[in-house]
Amino acid sequence: MSLRDAKTGQVTKEYSIDELRDAAQLMRGYNLVALCAAGSGHAGGTLSIMDIAAALYLRIAEHDPKNPDWPDRDRILWSAGHKAPALYVSLGIAGFCPLDDIVTLRKLGSPFQGHPHWLKLPGIEVSSGSLGQGLSVAVGMALAARIDSKTHKIFCLMGDGEQQEGQVWEAAMEAGHFHLDNIIAVIDCNRLQIDGWVKDVMQVEPLAAKYAAFGWEVLRIDGHDMSQIVDAFEQARAVTGKPVMILADTVKGKGVSFMENQPGWHGKAPNREELTAALADLGLAGRIPVDDLLAKAKHWQAEASQALEAHVPRYSCDFWWNARDAAQSDSMHVAMEPTRKGFGRALAECGGDERIVCIGLDISGSITIADFYAGQPERARRWISMGIAEQSATAAAAGLAREGKLPVLGSYATFSAARNLDQVRVSICYSNLNVLVAGAHAGVSVGADGATHQALEDLFAMLGLPNMTVVVPCDAIETRKATQHLLLEHVGPKYIRFAREATPIVTSETTPFVFGKANVIRLRAEKVDFVDAFETRLAEDYADEGEDLSIVACGPMVPEAMRAAWILKQEFGLETRVLNLHTLKPIDAEAAVRAARETGIVITAEEHQIGALAGRVSLILATNPTLYGVPVIARAIGVKDRFGESGAPWELVKVFELSAEHIAESALELVSMKRHAAEHLVTA
C-alpha cells in the first residue's frame, strides 16, 4: 500500500524504512524553514508528528496526488489543525503541491493558511483548527463509507492535550458503538501543551484503558521508530469489528536540541539564527536551499503587499499609524500596546479579593489571565487550570458563582463565546450567575492563525443572550478599567472582548470611563502625540458643535475612527464626532440618537461581522420617536459576511476594509449625499 495511480491502480512509488526516516527528517527541515519565513506558527508539535506523517503519506495511505478527490482514496484528517505545517510538507513531499511553495505559509493570499482549509488546497480533507472535532468528522466519514459499501480507511491525527475536549469522548463512544473498523486514529503523545505538561494541566492518561473501554483496539508505539510506526499501521489495517487507536509516544520538538520538551516552542517559530542551528541539529545543513526559499517567501510577501496597497484609499499624505517623522510637529505618533495587557493588569490588581477564582484554558499566558497569580503564590489555590475544555469549564464557572465566588474564564473569543455557547446560555445566563467571560484575541487582528481563530461572530451570540452584559474596550487602559468594573462592581453574566495585537493607546488614566455611558471624542489640533490631539468627554456632558458627521465605534475601531477624523479634517476640512460605545449592552441609546439628530450622518465601525454594533445602533435610530421625520444617512463598516484568512494583523485590517482610510472614504460619500440632498431641498 502506498502512493497510487488512481486510473491504473499501480503503485507509483514505494518507500523503504530508511527512505521514510530520511524523508521525515527532510520534512522537519522544510517545516522549520516555512515557520521561519512566516515568523509565527507551531514548531514543537509539527516536529513531534513528522515521522508518523511521513509514514502515512508516503507508504501507508492509498491516495493519488494527481487525483486528490479519487473516491476510493484513504482519508487523512488533521484534527490538531495547528500542526498544519506538518500537513503541508506531507502534501508537498507526496506530490500534491510544490514543496517549495510551502514557504509562503501564513502569508496573505497563500493557500497554506495558519490552520488547514480544505477549500484552499487539494489534499486537505477537512478544515480544522478548533481542537476536538476531527474524530467526530471521522465518524461521519466512516459511516458514509459503510453506507456506500466502501473499503477505504479514515485516519485521524490528534494530540494528547486535545483529549481534554469532551467532544473527543463522544466520538470515541460512537466509533466503538458502531464498530467502525474503517477508522484508524493516532494520538501524538508528546506530553506537552501550551500551559505546560499535559499531566499537570489536566491528566488524560491512561488513554489505552480509556479507549479500550470504549471498544477500540489500542496499539502503543514509539512514535519516532519508523519500523514500529509502519508495523502499527499495517496491524491497524487488518483489525476488523472495531476502530483502532495508535498511541504514539513522541518528543515535542523532536530532533532540535533546544526545542525538545520545551513548552515555549509549542507556538513559536525559529528566527534565522535558530533555523540554522536547528537544521544543523537535524543533519540537514546544505540539503535545503534555505536562502532561495526565504527569498521566495519575501517575493510573495512583496507582491501581496503591493496588491493590497493598491486597493487602499489614498490621500495627499500618509496618515498610517506612526508613518510620519517623529520630529515633525504634526507627526501624531501613538503608543501601541495589546488590549489584553489591560485585562491581565486588572486581574493582578483586583486578585487579592478572596472571592475571585480564575480558570485557565491552555492559553493562559497569551491572554494574560495568568497575571492573576503571577508572582503571588498565595493566589495559586484560586487558580484552576482546566486545559482544553471550554464547555465544561464554563459550566464549572457557573457552579463556582452559585457558591458565591467571582469566577473569570477566558480563551480565544472563538472558543470562549462560541464553542461553549449553550453552557453560557443555560448554565450562566439563564441562571443569571455572576461570571466574567473573556473573549480574547478577537477580530481579524489575530492575524496569521487564520479564520478558525479569528472571532468575527462572537458578539452576535453574547449580545443575544438575556441577562448578558457586553463590553468592548478600545485600548489597554480602557480594558483595565472595564475589567475592574465588571469584576468588582457589576453583578451578573458579563462578557469582555479584547484583541491580541498591539493597538493604539488613545485614552489615559484621566479619560472618563463610565459603564453604560458613551464617550464623545473630538479632534482639536494636530500634536506630536496622537492622544493629545483629541478631547474626550462623556457623551451626556457634550454640547453639539455642528459636526459634519458621526462615527460610532467600539474596540480597536475607536482608534481607527479617530484617525479617520484626522484624515477628514486635514484633507477636507470636515469635523467628525467620534462616539466610543465601549458598552454595547446596555448601550447608550441617547448618545447614538443625539449623534444622528445633530450630525445627520452615522457610520458604525466594528472589527466584527457587520451587525453587532451596526444592528443595535440601527435599531435604536429606527425606533426612536425623536428621529421620525429627521433625515439620517447611515453606513456600516465591518466584516462583510465572510470568514477570515491568514495574514499579518494590519494587513487584514486593510483586506477587510476596516482601516481609517476606508472609513474616511465612506464618510466622504455620505457627506456628498447629505449636501446633495440639502441642495435639492433648497431648490425644491
Side-chain angles (χ1 to χ4, degrees):
M1 299 174 187
S2 187
L3 297 170
R4 289 190 180 274
D5 183 321
K7 292 181 179 179
T8 66
Q10 297 297 310
V11 173
T12 56
K13 168 70 176 175
E14 289 198 53
Y15 283 81
S16 68
I17 296 297
D18 285 341
E19 286 175 324
L20 290 175
R21 291 191 188 105
D22 185 67
Q25 206 73 336
L26 190 64
M27 290 162 66
R28 286 188 171 95
Y30 272 91
N31 169 69
L32 291 173
V33 174
L35 288 167
C36 177
S40 65
H42 299 78
T46 53
L47 294 175
S48 66
I49 203 169
M50 205 66 81
D51 296 299
I52 295 161
L56 190 52
Y57 278 83
L58 298 178
R59 176 158 168 167
I60 299 301
E62 292 203 352
H63 50 185
D64 181 358
K66 294 180 180 178
N67 187 4
D69 294 324
W70 174 34
D72 293 327
R73 73 191 182 281
D74 290 333
R75 275 68 164 164
I76 306 173
L77 312 184
W78 288 69
S79 185
H82 61 280
K83 297 177 184 177
L87 161 59
Y88 301 147
V89 295
S90 299
L91 293 174
I93 203 161
F96 285 86
C97 61
L99 188 57
D100 288 1
D101 286 358
I102 298 164
V103 79
T104 65
L105 174 72
R106 289 176 161 242
K107 296 193 181 300
L108 187 64
S110 172
F112 305 100
Q113 297 278 292
H115 290 76
H117 189 4
W118 81 280
L119 297 175
K120 297 278 188 179
L121 189 68
I124 299 175
E125 293 291 351
V126 295
S127 303
S128 60
S130 181
L131 292 175
Q133 298 185 23
L135 193 57
S136 295
V137 177
V139 167
M141 286 185 165
L143 290 169
R146 175 177 290 178
I147 292 168
D148 294 338
S149 300
K150 296 287 188 178
T151 60
H152 60 263
K153 298 292 186 181
I154 296 94
F155 296 91
C156 182
L157 306 182
M158 298 183 286
D160 49 355
E162 185 176 4
Q163 306 305 299
Q164 294 160 359
E165 286 283 13
Q167 182 179 345
V168 170
W169 298 103
E170 294 179 32
M173 175 175 58
E174 292 156 359
H177 174 78
F178 292 117
H179 304 286
L180 297 177
D181 53 10
N182 49 357
I183 291 180
I184 300 173
V186 182
I187 297 178
D188 179 16
C189 298
N190 62 36
R191 300 167 295 134
L192 283 169
Q193 57 189 104
I194 299 174
D195 277 1
W197 295 98
V198 173
K199 64 181 177 62
D200 296 330
V201 175
M202 182 61 63
Q203 179 64 279
V204 297
E205 294 288 358
L207 289 173
K210 290 176 180 177
Y211 274 94
F214 280 110
W216 288 61
E217 183 76 17
V218 181
L219 306 172
R220 190 142 212 158
I221 62 170
D222 178 345
H224 300 306
D225 185 317
M226 193 59 73
S227 294
Q228 286 191 38
I229 295 170
V230 171
D231 286 346
F233 275 127
E234 291 177 349
Q235 288 180 53
R237 274 196 174 276
V239 171
T240 60
K242 60 173 69 174
V244 180
M245 174 59 68
I246 299 174
L247 302 176
D249 293 318
T250 63
V251 175
K252 198 150 192 168
K254 176 66 176 177
V256 180
S257 58
F258 56 90
M259 294 184 185
E260 288 190 350
N261 291 322
Q262 297 300 315
W265 280 99
H266 172 92
K268 183 180 175 183
N271 59 31
R272 187 64 175 83
E273 182 180 352
E274 290 165 336
L275 174 63
T276 300
L279 294 177
D281 269 3
L282 292 166
L284 297 173
R287 285 193 62 188
I288 296 175
V290 176
D291 291 339
D292 290 345
L293 290 172
L294 294 180
K296 182 183 181 77
K298 186 176 181 180
H299 179 70
W300 177 285
Q301 181 62 59
E303 288 197 334
S305 297
Q306 184 177 14
L308 175 61
E309 292 301 326
H311 290 89
V312 176
R314 292 291 172 190
Y315 302 98
S316 66
C317 57
D318 192 352
F319 288 89
W320 192 257
W321 297 112
N322 297 334
R324 300 189 186 182
D325 187 340
Q328 294 177 300
S329 61
D330 64 346
S331 62
M332 298 279 274
H333 272 234
V334 70
M336 298 269 191
E337 186 177 35
T339 47
R340 57 193 163 112
K341 297 291 185 181
F343 178 67
R345 290 188 189 112
L347 294 178
E349 292 169 10
C350 300
D353 189 314
E354 287 291 319
R355 297 171 299 166
I356 297 174
V357 178
C358 288
I359 299 174
L361 294 174
D362 197 42
I363 56 169
S364 307
S366 181
I367 73 166
T368 72
I369 194 172
D371 290 1
F372 162 71
Y373 71 96
Q376 303 191 67
E378 71 279 3
R379 297 182 183 178
R381 65 186 178 82
R382 291 185 283 119
W383 166 257
I384 303 171
S385 183
M386 297 191 73
I388 310 165
E390 299 86 0
Q391 293 159 307
S392 183
T394 300
L400 286 162
R402 184 66 180 85
E403 296 299 322
K405 303 300 182 185
L406 296 179
V408 183
L409 75 150
S411 181
Y412 280 75
T414 49
F415 309 141
S416 64
R419 182 166 194 128
N420 58 343
L421 180 57
D422 191 44
Q423 286 77 16
V424 174
R425 177 178 180 268
V426 176
S427 295
I428 294 177
C429 289
Y430 187 49
S431 297
N432 200 22
L433 292 172
N434 194 21
V435 177
L436 175 57
V437 180
H441 296 18
V444 300
S445 59
V446 171
D449 275 345
T452 59
H453 284 52
Q454 293 167 5
L456 303 177
E457 310 84 15
D458 56 305
L459 289 176
F460 289 148
M462 295 298 103
L463 288 167
L465 291 172
N467 296 328
M468 177 62 82
T469 288
V470 179
V471 178
V472 187
C474 70
D475 64 9
I477 294 173
E478 194 167 79
T479 301
R480 179 179 57 78
K481 294 177 181 178
T483 303
Q484 289 175 334
H485 174 86
L486 291 174
L487 191 58
L488 298 181
E489 297 181 49
H490 183 83
V491 177
K494 44 218 171 181
Y495 179 70
I496 184 168
R497 183 186 203 250
F498 50 88
R500 173 185 186 178
E501 181 68 8
T503 55
I505 298 293
V506 293
T507 69
S508 69
E509 293 302 325
T510 59
T511 301
F513 174 83
V514 178
F515 173 76
K517 299 292 185 180
N519 285 343
V520 168
I521 305 171
R522 290 284 283 116
L523 175 64
R524 295 308 185 194
E526 292 184 343
K527 302 283 186 178
V528 172
D529 292 327
F530 184 86
V531 68
D532 293 338
F534 294 83
E535 180 185 15
T536 301
R537 299 182 189 173
L538 283 173
E540 61 187 24
D541 297 334
Y542 179 75
D544 180 20
E545 296 182 6
E547 299 96 330
D548 297 288
L549 73 150
S550 297
I551 304 174
V552 181
C554 62
M557 293 303 290
V558 171
E560 291 300 321
M562 294 167 69
R563 193 162 64 84
W566 177 29
I567 295 172
L568 292 168
K569 173 68 173 178
Q570 180 161 311
E571 295 284 285
F572 308 102
L574 296 173
E575 296 290 345
T576 305
R577 181 185 305 186
V578 175
L579 203 62
N580 176 9
L581 276 179
H582 48 69
T583 306
L584 291 190
K585 189 181 179 184
I587 197 167
D588 190 342
E590 178 56 30
V593 169
R594 281 191 57 200
R597 185 171 60 244
E598 293 169 356
T599 70
I601 295 176
V602 174
I603 299 174
T604 58
E606 55 194 312
E607 192 191 8
H608 189 272
Q609 298 280 3
I610 290 175
L613 173 64
R616 293 183 69 77
V617 171
S618 297
L619 180 62
I620 288 167
L621 302 187
T623 58
N624 190 282
T626 67
L627 292 178
Y628 293 170
V630 177
V632 178
I633 304 173
R635 182 168 294 179
I637 300 292
V639 179
K640 299 171 183 175
D641 192 27
R642 57 176 290 195
F643 286 104
E645 60 180 277
S646 290
W650 289 106
E651 285 181 329
L652 297 177
V653 168
K654 297 176 181 178
V655 166
F656 288 92
E657 300 181 352
L658 305 176
S659 72
E661 287 78 7
H662 292 97
I663 298 173
E665 182 180 54
S666 284
L668 290 173
E669 292 177 11
L670 298 190
V671 168
S672 177
M673 291 170 60
K674 176 182 174 182
R675 289 174 175 171
H676 179 75
E679 291 170 359
H680 180 73
L681 286 173
V682 170
T683 303

